[in-house]
Amino acid sequence: MPNHVPLRSLLLLSLIQKRFLKTSASPSSFKVQYLIDSCGLPSQLALSTYQKLQLDKKNLPNAYSVLQYLKAHDFSNTHISKLIDKYPRVLQARVESNLIPKFDFFTENGFVGQLLPQLILSNPSVLRRALDSQIKPCFELLNSLLGCKENLVVALKRASWLLTVNFKVVIQPNVDLLIKEGLPRDRVAKLILWQPRAVLQKMDRMVYALHALKSMGLDVEDNIFIHALRVRIQLPETTWKKKIEGMKSLQWSEEEILGAFKRYPPILTLSEKKIRSSMDFFINTMELERQNIIACPLFLGYSIDKRVRPRYNVIKVLKSKKLMSRDKKMTSLLTINEKNFLTNYVSRYVDVVPGLLELYMGNGKTKKKDS
């Protein structure tokens, strides 16, 4: 009897498939299949898109025109699938009155090739916003602040929402305040490029952060100021105090903490665990003086496993083999860029010290040699 079970299962499956084919040969199934074939949509997304839009004979031609237009502007099937998933109503957009004017404008302003689908996918809301009353004014204001189209493209790649936020109400007042408080326009531009959400803050929070930094003795014209402003805005007052107390528990005085913040503002965004483990490695493994770390708090921002330990291992081996001076300060070797360190302290000695590259990459140990 058991031998008949597989055959029975196959017969049942065949009957179910035939019934499905009969019942699914409906107008809706053809439209769902159209979305699958034309857009490259997964079947579930195609079905949900059809249900949301209720496509019929009248709007299928428009959907086809939208798809053709997108494909003509460097949108792959993957791009289109993601766009429809985020914004199904794109298939109902009017090509002549909506897509063409906007795409032409974006292209004229530097969004060519893959930059265009990237912009649209990162913020499909731009397709719902008016070109003349929203998008163009935002472009003009951003361009006046950032100074050139290249910077504008960089800013919008990082924060395409800048095009759909109420710029005059939300961002412009903060920008005006920063300039009034003495922040040079080029620093305002850098703040928007590096940390655009900083200018989204409520006015009272921006005022508080500015005054707090000035009271600490930071000069608005110093390069470090915008980094400090970004951190001070990011941390609510309660979090700021907890960070200070956390560092005090590691035997830092408040004067040392604030001094370190002025030199390296991100120090107060690091977790207590990160600071504790880094201090332990620097002091107990590398035998650095505590004052060296306080004087250069940037060290605490480095990854121990990806940057500090590999360099330390290489330098320790080179010094043991007398290939470099023992007087060479480890602190200076931590701050040079990756390319220079690799060239001067790894590639230069790979033939002399077998396994040095593997040691630096973290997947090997140097072979011991008689000296």
Side-chain angles (χ1 to χ4, degrees):
M1 194 69 178
N3 292 336
H4 296 289
V5 174
L7 178 60
R8 186 179 301 166
S9 298
L10 288 171
L11 289 171
L12 284 172
L13 180 60
S14 177
L15 288 171
I16 291 169
Q17 287 175 330
K18 287 179 180 178
R19 178 171 291 183
F20 174 78
L21 288 171
K22 287 179 181 179
T23 56
S24 64
S26 61
S28 63
S29 68
F30 287 122
K31 291 161 191 171
V32 171
Q33 193 61 45
Y34 168 80
L35 292 173
I36 294 171
D37 295 339
S38 300
C39 313
L41 298 187
S43 55
Q44 194 60 40
L45 177 56
L47 179 59
S48 66
T49 301
Y50 166 73
Q51 290 171 340
K52 288 175 184 176
L53 301 182
Q54 288 298 302
L55 294 172
D56 55 31
K57 289 182 180 179
K58 292 182 180 179
N59 50 33
L60 268 181
N62 186 78
Y64 178 77
S65 298
V66 169
L67 293 172
Q68 293 304 110
Y69 188 76
L70 292 174
K71 288 178 179 179
H73 286 79
D74 296 299
F75 281 73
S76 65
N77 280 347
T78 302
H79 290 141
I80 292 170
S81 180
K82 289 179 180 178
L83 178 58
I84 293 173
D85 188 25
K86 291 182 176 183
Y87 179 44
R89 293 193 177 279
V90 69
L91 293 175
Q92 296 175 331
R94 299 300 176 191
V95 175
E96 292 291 334
S97 59
N98 186 339
L99 299 185
I100 290 178
K102 287 174 184 172
F103 279 37
D104 284 350
F105 180 77
F106 293 142
T107 302
E108 289 166 5
N109 283 278
F111 288 88
V112 294
Q114 289 300 300
L115 289 177
L116 183 58
Q118 287 171 14
L119 175 69
I120 303 298
L121 280 171
S122 64
N123 186 9
S125 294
V126 296
L127 299 179
R128 298 199 297 266
R129 296 294 196 273
L131 179 60
D132 292 327
S133 61
Q134 173 69 34
I135 296 174
K136 283 184 178 180
C138 280
F139 258 85
E140 290 168 5
L141 286 167
L142 281 170
N143 199 39
S144 67
L145 289 169
L146 300 177
C148 65
K149 286 185 179 179
E150 289 75 14
N151 283 343
L152 182 60
V153 170
V154 171
L156 291 177
K157 279 178 67 178
R158 293 176 179 172
S160 58
W161 49 262
L162 285 167
L163 284 179
T164 49
V165 72
N166 192 328
F167 205 98
K168 288 185 178 179
V169 172
V170 178
I171 296 178
Q172 190 67 56
N174 281 327
V175 168
D176 292 342
L177 173 66
L178 291 170
I179 293 173
K180 181 182 176 183
E181 289 291 322
L183 195 69
R185 293 184 72 89
D186 65 319
R187 305 287 163 72
V188 175
K190 286 180 180 178
L191 183 62
I192 294 173
L193 283 170
W194 293 342
Q195 192 63 33
R197 291 196 179 277
V199 292
L200 278 183
Q201 304 301 315
K202 291 182 179 179
M203 178 69 76
D204 58 350
R205 186 163 181 75
M206 182 68 79
V207 169
Y208 179 82
L210 284 167
H211 289 173
L213 294 179
K214 284 186 174 183
S215 68
M216 290 172 60
L218 282 165
D219 190 334
V220 292
E221 294 191 2
D222 288 344
N223 282 327
I224 204 71
F225 190 87
I226 57 174
H227 299 286
L229 179 63
R230 174 181 66 82
V231 173
R232 197 65 183 87
I233 286 173
Q234 178 184 337
L235 299 178
E237 190 61 24
T238 52
T239 306
W240 173 270
K241 289 178 179 178
K242 284 180 181 178
K243 293 283 187 179
I244 298 292
E245 292 305 313
M247 290 195 68
K248 283 182 178 179
S249 73
L250 299 175
Q251 310 307 313
W252 288 57
S253 69
E254 187 158 346
E255 183 181 358
E256 288 172 337
I257 296 166
L258 296 181
F261 171 75
K262 291 178 186 179
R263 291 189 291 279
Y264 178 61
I267 192 171
L268 287 181
T269 65
L270 303 176
S271 69
E272 184 179 328
K273 180 180 178 182
K274 160 67 174 164
I275 295 173
R276 187 183 297 276
S277 64
S278 295
M279 291 283 289
D280 178 68
F281 187 84
F282 286 127
I283 292 172
N284 296 320
T285 300
M286 293 181 63
E287 299 180 343
L288 293 183
E289 294 292 331
R290 182 174 174 276
Q291 285 306 124
N292 289 140
I293 304 166
I294 292 172
C296 192
L298 171 65
F299 290 166
L300 296 174
Y302 291 150
S303 168
I304 296 297
D305 291 332
K306 294 180 180 179
R307 184 186 185 106
V308 180
R309 194 191 310 276
R311 294 191 181 196
Y312 171 69
N313 288 339
V314 166
I315 298 306
K316 187 169 64 170
V317 168
L318 294 181
K319 285 184 176 181
S320 72
K321 295 183 178 297
K322 299 180 181 180
L323 293 172
M324 65 179 298
S325 170
R326 288 186 175 273
D327 296 330
K328 189 74 174 178
K329 289 185 178 180
M330 180 63 73
T331 52
S332 65
L333 297 172
L334 289 179
T335 55
I336 64 174
N337 65 43
E338 180 71 8
K339 180 181 177 182
N340 286 340
F341 185 87
L342 190 60
T343 300
N344 296 324
Y345 301 102
V346 181
S347 301
R348 182 178 175 184
Y349 298 106
V350 288
D351 294 331
V352 182
V353 183
L356 188 65
L357 180 60
E358 289 77 10
L359 180 69
Y360 182 63
M361 300 303 291
N363 57 5
K365 295 181 179 179
T366 53
K367 298 177 182 177
K368 290 183 179 179
K369 286 179 67 179
D370 294 330
S371 52

